[in-house]
Amino acid sequence: MLHMQNLLLITDIPGYSPQISRLISMMNYARFTTLEAVKDLTQAELDYLLDAKSNSIGALLLHFAAVEYAYQVSTFEQRELNEEELLIWGPALELGKVGQEQIKGHELEYYLHQLDEVRNRTLEFFKSVNDDWLDTEEDFWYEKKANYYFMWFHVFEDELNHRGQIRLIRNRLKVK
Amino acid sequence: MLHMQNLLLITDIPGYSPQISRLISMMNYARFTTLEAVKDLTQAELDYLLDAKSNSIGALLLHFAAVEYAYQVSTFEQRELNEEELLIWGPALELGKVGQEQIKGHELEYYLHQLDEVRNRTLEFFKSVNDDWLDTEEDFWYEKKANYYFMWFHVFEDELNHRGQIRLIRNRLKVK
């Protein structure tokens, strides 16, 4: 993880423009808390379902990588996910029943590796753009315009939302 | 709620400096999703406990107002909460058992009113500062420095974390 020494500073990061730096600072802290929330979990714990409707912690972790990948594609490559990518990321994007069926049996390292790979790609992409890029607007939810700053804010606000759920599930694990 | 027309834009807001505007944009969106997540809940639903360890949705709502109030006091007034304030906000800050015992029996309007009052105060405070203020650093967690941008990021990242839990609890309500 980049710049852990500045974990509690939303500030400039060498190699990135000012607003991009602040965005990355927030993404870094969100990710730090995610990693803390899943530390030392076993495969059985990562697969655990609170109830029939629940997402496993493993599926939520892969969801973070999938969402981030999807926004790389939409904002940096300005396209939709292709069929091959949907095969890889579809269950993690969708969660629910398909996530329960298809995302399981992995150790923590598997998820952490996926998260790192995707995050490193984001950090490379961000080097290529500047603050003006964040102001780019596109049609989005509720028949409103969203800008790229919002879309990347959404990437980490979705992670924070599910991190809250991970903490709740972790406190109620009933596996050895 | 301020500036709902720009709900999906992290951008300038009249009357606020550029970084403060972006921070408020993110706080606004986080609050919008909180309000969506609790829409039309009854008193019994707001008091519902998933299990003996759970926080009620009502307690989590009051927690958002309490945390925001506490960061107003620490960053704008540079002091700690006094005894009177701790009587008012203590249970909502602490949650857990004391939250379960002391925060219940309220209708949704009660919580929404508290959230609005505190938020309006924040928006007034933010008018009085600029981007440089966000860079102010103080000793904080993990023996590290945090800046005010981080502390206010934390206010909404904590809300997003618990909003994830609110959604999970709402999907499992077992009251009429």
Side-chain angles (χ1 to χ4, degrees):
Chain A
M1 180 71 45
L2 262 181
H3 307 294
M4 251 357 182
Q5 71 276 24
N6 285 347
L7 181 66
L8 309 184
L9 299 176
I10 311 295
T11 191
D12 291 322
I13 299 177
Y16 299 94
S17 65
Q19 299 288 2
I20 302 268
S21 294
R22 278 150 185 80
L23 181 56
I24 295 173
S25 299
M26 292 185 270
M27 293 174 68
N28 275 346
Y29 180 78
R31 180 58 48 85
F32 166 78
T33 60
T34 293
L35 299 179
E36 287 292 304
V38 300
K39 211 169 203 168
D40 300 327
L41 289 179
T42 65
Q43 184 205 302
E45 291 170 330
L46 290 162
D47 288 349
Y48 178 74
L49 299 176
L50 198 61
D51 58 29
K53 286 196 280 195
S54 176
N55 294 305
S56 71
I57 292 176
L60 291 172
L61 286 175
L62 201 60
H63 182 66
F64 301 159
V67 168
E68 186 165 341
Y69 186 88
Y71 280 92
Q72 287 172 357
V73 166
S74 65
T75 66
F76 288 107
E77 304 183 356
Q78 283 162 341
R79 60 178 179 86
E80 311 226 317
L81 294 179
N82 61 36
E83 279 184 38
E84 193 189 346
E85 289 166 329
L86 278 173
L87 275 175
I88 298 172
W89 297 111
L93 285 171
E94 202 174 324
L95 293 174
K97 197 159 187 62
V98 63
Q100 285 182 350
E101 285 165 0
Q102 297 192 34
I103 307 168
K104 57 187 167 189
H106 304 293
E107 297 291 340
L108 182 58
E109 286 63 35
Y110 167 82
Y111 298 107
L112 300 186
H113 178 73
Q114 303 280 338
L115 287 165
D116 264 359
E117 291 272 298
V118 175
R119 176 56 52 92
N120 288 337
R121 213 166 158 253
T122 298
L123 293 173
E124 282 305 310
F125 274 127
F126 275 146
K127 282 184 189 157
S128 70
V129 293
N130 59 22
D131 289 353
D132 290 342
W133 178 86
L134 288 174
D135 294 330
T136 313
E137 295 185 14
E138 287 181 2
D139 293 330
F140 208 59
W141 303 331
Y142 312 115
E143 302 189 353
K144 289 175 186 284
K145 297 273 184 193
N147 59 20
Y148 286 170
Y149 200 136
F150 178 86
M151 295 182 201
W152 282 94
F153 158 68
H154 172 61
V155 170
F156 78 73
E157 73 94 17
D158 187 68
E159 179 166 346
L160 291 165
N161 169 81
H162 292 301
R163 181 202 75 200
Q165 297 172 339
I166 288 175
R167 287 182 179 171
L168 190 155
I169 297 167
R170 182 174 189 149
N171 282 329
R172 288 158 178 81
L173 288 173
K174 292 201 187 75
V175 289
K176 307 286 174 230
Chain B
M1 179 71 46
L2 263 181
H3 307 294
M4 253 355 184
Q5 72 277 24
N6 284 347
L7 182 66
L8 310 183
L9 299 176
I10 311 295
T11 190
D12 291 322
I13 299 177
Y16 299 94
S17 66
Q19 299 288 1
I20 301 270
S21 293
R22 279 150 184 81
L23 181 56
I24 295 173
S25 299
M26 292 185 271
M27 292 174 69
N28 275 347
Y29 180 78
R31 180 58 48 84
F32 167 78
T33 61
T34 293
L35 298 179
E36 287 292 303
V38 300
K39 212 169 202 167
D40 300 325
L41 290 179
T42 65
Q43 184 205 303
E45 291 169 332
L46 290 162
D47 286 349
Y48 177 74
L49 299 176
L50 199 61
D51 58 29
K53 285 196 281 193
S54 176
N55 295 306
S56 71
I57 293 176
L60 291 172
L61 286 175
L62 200 60
H63 181 67
F64 302 159
V67 168
E68 186 165 339
Y69 186 88
Y71 280 93
Q72 288 173 358
V73 166
S74 65
T75 66
F76 288 107
E77 305 182 356
Q78 284 162 340
R79 60 177 179 88
E80 311 225 317
L81 294 179
N82 60 36
E83 277 182 39
E84 193 190 347
E85 290 166 331
L86 279 173
L87 275 176
I88 298 171
W89 298 111
L93 286 170
E94 201 175 323
L95 293 174
K97 197 159 188 59
V98 64
Q100 285 182 350
E101 286 165 0
Q102 297 192 32
I103 307 168
K104 57 187 167 191
H106 304 293
E107 296 291 339
L108 182 58
E109 287 62 36
Y110 167 82
Y111 298 106
L112 300 186
H113 178 73
Q114 302 281 338
L115 287 165
D116 265 0
E117 289 273 297
V118 174
R119 176 56 50 91
N120 288 337
R121 214 166 159 252
T122 298
L123 293 172
E124 282 304 311
F125 273 127
F126 275 146
K127 282 184 188 157
S128 70
V129 293
N130 59 23
D131 289 353
D132 290 341
W133 179 86
L134 289 174
D135 295 331
T136 313
E137 296 184 14
E138 287 181 1
D139 293 332
F140 208 59
W141 304 331
Y142 312 116
E143 302 187 353
K144 290 176 186 282
K145 296 274 186 195
N147 59 21
Y148 286 170
Y149 200 136
F150 177 84
M151 295 182 201
W152 282 94
F153 158 68
H154 172 62
V155 170
F156 78 74
E157 74 94 16
D158 186 68
E159 179 166 345
L160 291 165
N161 168 81
H162 292 301
R163 181 201 76 202
Q165 298 172 341
I166 288 174
R167 287 181 179 170
L168 190 154
I169 297 166
R170 182 174 188 147
N171 281 330
R172 288 159 179 81
L173 289 173
K174 290 200 187 75
V175 287
K176 306 286 172 232

